[in-house]
Structure formats: structure tokens, C-alpha cells
Amino acid sequence: MSNSKLYAGVLHALGMGQHKIRNFEETIDLRVNLRNYDYARRRFIVRFKLPHVYNPNLRVLVFTDQKVKVNDPNVEIVDRDYLVTFRRSRKRIKKFLNKAATIADDTIIRALPRLVGPQIVKMGKFPSLFTMAEIHDAIKSCRRKCEWRVKKCLTLTATVGHLGMSSIQLFENVQAALESLAPKLELQNWKNLQSLVLKSSMGKPFFIFKKIPPKLLPGEHDWMPEVHARLSAVGSHRRARFVPAIPVPRQVMRRPMVFHRMGKGHAKN
């Protein structure tokens, strides 16, 4: 993967000023598709910081009992009395913490598990510690934090920028995101990487990297006429299940159109 290809994807995502004017700030996501990866056994979470703010409108919750005034409409000051009103309700807490970053000072951070409950830890929203002298830097730092998380899917997505950024800033953010993921994929010599896609919220995707599947050998596709012949000989009026006698590649085994179960309710041809 060359830097020229990566920079071409950055220019495509930004659109060179050709995007429509919308009522919201479009973000740019970096999507990583994996292949032949057992996510049930090899789950991981990688947290990293980008060199530039990827979303200036990110909602930030500041947990503190002190009086603080921040001139930012996307920053909310939350005190102890407001947290008590939730009554440890999981639905209300989950809705309140959704799509928000959290920070807290030393006056309230130890009481959060008792006031909010374990839901804040399960969601991965436990706040980081800050001091009042560094509150503006802490808010800016929250808008630079990202993570790669492998759970039950082979697609990883991280927000790396927005349309208001310059091409150099977005290029540096994408490079930092890929460098944080490199130690996890280099263990298998990058064999688990299928594709890298850069896409804005309302734009078309751009493939920075795409692995072409290997072609079948000349003798590996000769079994296809036999498959269709055996399927047509079974008939749709009888219940049967096709079991191929020839080993079939994995890519074809996943196709539901080749292997199916025919029952009595199907109409005859």
C-alpha cells in the first residue's frame, strides 16, 4: 500500500469541494475488512489518539461537582444531583451516554459506579481523569480518541475525520489509525486483511486496498455441470438434500443458491 494511493483516497473522501451543503457535519470513516479471522477466539480492542480532532461536534459529558463554564454547546456539565435522578436505570443511562465522550474530576469519579451502576463500565464509557486547569485540553483530547474493536463481525470501522479538515490533516489521521492496527495484523503477515475503504457519510466508498481472490485452477470448476445435472434429476416434488461427492471450495459452499433443501410445498417446473 503506497502513500500515493492513500492520498488519492483522502482526496476522494473530501470530494475536492464537490459535496452538497447539508445541515450536519459529514464525517469520514476508515473501514477495515478482515478475512479468515476467528473473531470468537481472537478479539481485541485497540485504543489510540489521532493527531487532529476528527469530530469537533462530538458530545462531551463533564462529571464534576464544581461550577464550570465552557462556551461550547456540545459540552454538558453533569453533577452528582443530576446522576441521582437516573435511579440506576439501565435504559436511561444507556440513552444518556450514547454517542458521547466522558471526563470527570477527582471529586466525583470514585462515586460514579455507585451513582450510575455498572452500565457505564460495560459500555466502555468510564471517564478519564482531568483537572480544572486542563479542562479545555481534556475536551480536545476526548475528540481525538478512537478505538478498533473486534466483537462479532469481521468489519472494523473508525471515524478519522470530517469534511472541514484539510487533506494533509486527514492523511495524517488515516496513517495514525493504520499504524495502531498494524501490530495486530502483522502477526499473520497481513493475510487477514481483505480491504481498506475510506468513505464519507453521504459519499461513495473508495478502496485504498483490495485483495483479489485467487483464481481457480483449470480442473477445479469441472464439477459445476454435474451439480446442476444432479439437482435437476432429483425433482422439486420430492424432499431431498444434495450432498456433493466432490470436494467444493469454501467460496462456493457459502452460496445458498447452490445447496438448498427442496420440500413438498414447492411447485413443479
Side-chain angles (χ1 to χ4, degrees):
M1 181 174 26
S2 60
N3 289 336
S4 59
K5 186 74 173 179
L6 186 61
Y7 193 73
V10 168
L11 295 180
H12 181 272
L14 292 175
M16 302 299 292
Q18 298 178 4
H19 287 269
K20 297 181 181 179
I21 300 176
R22 305 185 187 275
N23 296 328
F24 63 95
E25 185 80 27
E26 292 189 44
T27 57
I28 299 175
D29 298 336
L30 178 63
R31 187 173 300 169
V32 180
N33 297 318
L34 304 179
R35 60 188 293 269
N36 299 332
Y37 191 89
D38 189 4
Y39 58 82
R41 296 184 178 180
R42 300 169 55 190
R43 298 183 182 181
F44 63 84
I45 300 176
V46 179
R47 294 183 175 89
F48 59 95
K49 276 189 179 182
L50 297 174
H52 306 283
V53 176
Y54 67 89
N55 189 2
N57 298 326
L58 180 65
R59 181 165 159 258
V60 180
L61 303 177
V62 181
F63 297 102
T64 180
D65 287 335
Q66 304 181 22
K67 294 183 179 180
V68 184
K69 187 176 181 180
V70 181
N71 296 326
D72 193 338
N74 297 315
V75 176
E76 300 180 20
I77 309 299
V78 183
D79 57 357
R80 191 185 302 262
D81 297 335
Y82 186 76
L83 293 176
V84 173
T85 59
F86 287 112
R87 297 180 181 179
R88 299 170 65 98
S89 175
R90 294 182 180 180
K91 292 184 179 180
R92 295 179 61 186
I93 292 172
K94 187 176 181 179
K95 184 178 180 180
F96 178 67
L97 297 176
N98 190 28
K99 296 182 180 180
T102 57
I103 57 176
D105 61 352
D106 54 355
T107 61
I108 198 175
I109 191 170
R110 294 183 179 180
L112 281 178
R114 179 174 53 83
L115 296 173
V116 182
Q119 191 68 21
I120 189 172
V121 180
K122 293 180 180 179
M123 294 179 61
K125 299 288 186 177
F126 195 81
S128 56
L129 187 63
F130 78 97
T131 58
M132 286 300 169
E134 303 174 351
I135 182 172
H136 296 284
D137 295 337
I139 294 173
K140 187 176 180 180
S141 178
C142 285
R143 291 170 175 169
R144 291 169 47 202
K145 292 181 180 180
C146 287
E147 67 177 15
W148 298 108
R149 184 185 294 267
V150 174
K151 279 191 173 181
K152 298 180 181 179
C153 184
L154 295 180
T155 301
L156 311 178
T157 306
T159 305
V160 293
H162 58 94
L163 293 183
M165 301 178 64
S166 63
S167 58
I168 298 178
Q169 291 177 341
L170 182 58
F171 179 77
E172 292 176 354
N173 279 6
V174 174
Q175 269 192 334
L178 292 177
E179 288 176 0
S180 65
L181 189 62
K184 295 294 182 180
L185 298 182
E186 282 182 352
L187 298 178
Q188 299 294 328
N189 198 15
W190 294 91
K191 294 181 180 179
N192 301 119
L193 185 62
Q194 177 67 30
S195 62
L196 292 175
V197 184
L198 202 62
K199 182 186 180 303
S200 60
S201 299
M202 306 298 291
K204 296 182 179 180
F206 182 86
F207 284 86
I208 303 173
F209 170 79
K210 187 176 183 180
K211 183 175 290 186
I212 302 175
K215 296 182 179 179
L216 296 176
L217 298 177
E220 291 184 356
H221 62 278
D222 297 339
W223 52 270
M224 286 299 296
E226 182 182 349
V227 169
H228 293 290
R230 292 181 62 182
L231 283 174
S232 59
V234 169
S236 60
H237 64 283
R238 293 188 304 169
R239 179 173 297 179
R241 182 179 181 183
F242 174 71
V243 180
I246 304 174
V248 184
R250 290 185 178 179
Q251 297 177 357
V252 185
M253 285 289 290
R254 295 175 182 174
R255 299 177 185 175
M257 57 186 299
V258 176
F259 306 100
H260 60 280
R261 185 183 295 272
M262 293 173 289
K264 295 182 180 179
H266 294 275
K268 296 183 180 180
N269 295 329

